[in-house]
Amino acid sequence: MSTSKQVNLLDFDVDGLVAWFAGLGEKPFRARQVMRWMHHEGCDDFDAMTDVAKSLRAKLKELAVIRPPVPVRDSISADGTRKWLLDVGNANAVETVFIPETHRGTLCVSSQAGCALDCAFCSTGKQGFNRNLSAAEIIGQLWLANKLLGAARGGPDERAGDLEAGEKDNGRIISNVVMMGMGEPLANFDNVVTALRLMLDDHAYGLSRRRVTVSTSGIVPAMDRLRDECPVALAVSLHASNDALRDELVPINQKYPLRELMAACQRYLERAPRDFVTFEYVMLDGVNDSEAHARELVALVRDTPCKFNLIPFNPFPNSGYLRSPAERIRRFAGILIDAGIVTTTRRTRGDDVDAACGQLAGQVQDKTRRTVRLKQATEERS
């Protein structure tokens, strides 16, 4: 029977697990052995770890658990996108989305219960913020998705088969991970980096740095830390072509304006696994989608190797925004492409189960009491 004093081994990267095992008087190879059982095999039963000494298994059963978040809802879209609502305790739940494609499978992972950044067009931001997720709750989303998809070792051979030169086949359906779910990953830096290291570790998931992406709204000091400590692919939620508009849409811009953000992107590229930054740009009708905005973007990123991912806005109740018309998105993309910038328009996936970009809302007990404050402000104005 588990107790509150038991340690959740999903909280440890390999160095942390080796150190914890050393405290038990165990050698480093034992930690790596257990790590492979946990992550390669998707095993949460110490008795099933057959090549681990019985004495150690008994010790682990007393002192530790392997506990991912608990799924409370499992939704599958008509296009095959799958979304899980995961209980993370204290009436909070987060969402994780698996997006299957012909040559890869991408898991979109959450890093916080809610989000404090309050981007104007994001449903997560509208519900406020409760807390950071632990490393176990972050990597547990990947652990659980592999389990539920039958993707652990010995499961169905449905792996995504688009390996790049020099990459190893990790034998899993999930070939890519994007930290683009609920929350701002770099506002939960230490726990996110622990989870990233597990994603990259050959004793765990063995993903290449090119296949793990962190998306940030632009917390500049944390971008520099990520470059130094665990450089993976970088995506920046840009969404505006000038400071005045971005101050409105992405409030963190008031602290780290575009000039500082672009400089941080250039510094990041010195160590990044890809030779470009991806800029995400949600297309809002009549707000940020004019040809003038596109030309401003061309000038803004002139010195920053990049590609653009244009995202048709996915509506949610009371958002106050509409999706840009398809023809306007096409013209906007054309200006970027004509300037030599690789530009794609994201195909909306999973919107029938609210799993599309910007729609993740989960369930959050807001420590900021934002919902209450907004209701009070509305009542005072009326």
Side-chain angles (χ1 to χ4, degrees):
M1 179 179 294
S2 66
T3 72
S4 59
K5 295 182 180 180
Q6 287 180 304
V7 172
N8 190 347
L9 298 189
L10 291 176
D11 266 319
F12 294 123
D13 60 16
V14 67
D15 291 339
L17 197 60
V18 166
W20 188 77
F21 268 62
L24 301 180
E26 298 289 343
K27 294 181 179 179
F29 86 91
R30 289 297 188 191
R32 296 186 180 94
Q33 199 174 28
V34 170
M35 178 166 283
R36 290 180 68 86
W37 274 106
M38 280 194 295
H39 297 294
H40 274 241
E41 309 294 339
C43 180
D44 59 358
D45 178 1
F46 296 118
D47 284 332
M49 300 180 182
T50 52
D51 60 354
V52 175
K54 287 185 177 180
S55 58
L56 176 55
R57 280 185 266 166
K59 196 184 300 185
L60 291 174
K61 286 169 64 177
E62 178 184 353
L63 299 175
V65 293
I66 299 168
R67 182 182 295 137
V70 177
V72 294
R73 187 182 308 144
D74 186 343
S75 307
I76 302 179
S77 168
D79 64 18
T81 299
R82 190 166 175 181
K83 182 179 77 169
W84 295 281
L85 182 69
L86 305 176
D87 183 1
V88 293
N90 297 320
N92 291 294
V94 300
E95 294 180 332
T96 306
V97 177
F98 174 66
I99 306 165
E101 297 179 85
T102 303
H103 296 297
R104 66 179 172 183
T106 300
L107 190 71
C108 182
V109 171
S110 294
S111 58
Q112 297 179 310
C115 185
L117 297 192
D118 196 21
C119 293
F121 48 83
C122 179
S123 63
T124 301
K126 296 309 172 190
Q127 64 182 329
F129 173 75
N130 184 276
R131 66 172 176 85
N132 289 328
L133 299 186
S134 67
E137 289 166 335
I138 297 170
I139 199 65
Q141 295 170 63
L142 177 56
W143 188 97
L144 187 66
N146 270 309
K147 191 89 165 179
L148 296 176
L149 292 166
R153 296 285 183 183
D157 187 9
E158 301 177 43
R159 69 193 64 176
D162 60 335
L163 293 177
E164 298 178 12
E167 286 190 318
K168 297 178 181 178
D169 184 348
N170 63 18
R172 294 187 183 268
I173 293 172
I174 297 169
S175 63
N176 295 61
V177 175
V178 294
M179 297 294 305
M180 296 181 183
M182 296 173 64
E184 163 57 59
L186 296 188
N188 185 15
F189 188 89
D190 291 337
N191 290 332
V192 164
V193 166
T194 295
L196 292 176
R197 287 175 175 149
L198 284 166
M199 294 174 196
L200 302 174
D201 197 308
D202 284 343
H203 293 288
Y205 298 95
L207 298 173
S208 84
R209 293 180 185 272
R210 295 167 60 89
R211 291 181 174 274
V212 177
T213 301
V214 167
S215 175
T216 179
S217 295
I219 303 178
V220 166
M223 291 170 64
D224 289 334
R225 282 188 67 193
L226 187 66
R227 177 202 62 180
D228 293 338
E229 296 184 28
C230 190
V232 293
L234 182 70
V236 173
S237 296
L238 191 59
H239 309 307
S241 57
N242 58 69
D243 280 319
L245 180 56
R246 196 165 192 267
D247 285 350
E248 176 186 340
L249 296 178
V250 187
I252 194 69
N253 193 74
Q254 298 168 33
K255 189 170 185 179
Y256 305 112
L258 286 170
R259 181 175 56 83
E260 294 182 26
L261 179 58
M262 291 301 117
C265 288
Q266 291 164 23
R267 291 192 298 271
Y268 194 91
L269 286 171
E270 296 169 4
R271 299 187 182 179
R274 294 187 180 274
D275 57 3
F276 60 87
V277 172
T278 298
F279 289 121
E280 299 166 306
Y281 196 95
V282 65
M283 300 296 293
L284 303 170
D285 184 19
V287 176
N288 65 350
D289 60 351
S290 72
E291 295 182 13
H293 288 129
R295 288 189 288 270
E296 274 189 323
L297 285 178
V298 171
L300 176 68
V301 304
R302 180 176 55 243
D303 300 321
T304 306
C306 64
K307 63 177 283 189
F308 268 84
N309 187 5
L310 305 182
I311 306 169
F313 175 63
N314 293 304
F316 57 89
N318 303 314
S319 69
Y321 293 101
L322 299 174
R323 178 181 298 182
S324 299
E327 177 58 24
R328 194 177 306 153
I329 296 175
R330 189 193 65 77
R331 288 199 304 269
F332 193 98
I335 291 171
L336 299 179
I337 292 168
D338 288 345
I341 300 171
V342 175
T343 304
T344 59
T345 299
R346 182 176 296 177
R347 181 163 60 97
T348 299
R349 297 289 302 272
D351 55 344
D352 57 330
V353 293
D354 291 336
C357 183
Q359 289 184 315
L360 300 189
Q363 178 181 331
V364 176
Q365 295 288 78
D366 179 20
K367 282 185 176 178
T368 68
R369 292 176 55 80
R370 177 177 298 152
T371 302
V372 173
R373 290 187 287 107
L374 285 174
K375 182 179 179 181
Q376 289 172 343
T378 301
E379 290 173 348
E380 289 170 2
R381 288 196 298 268
S382 61

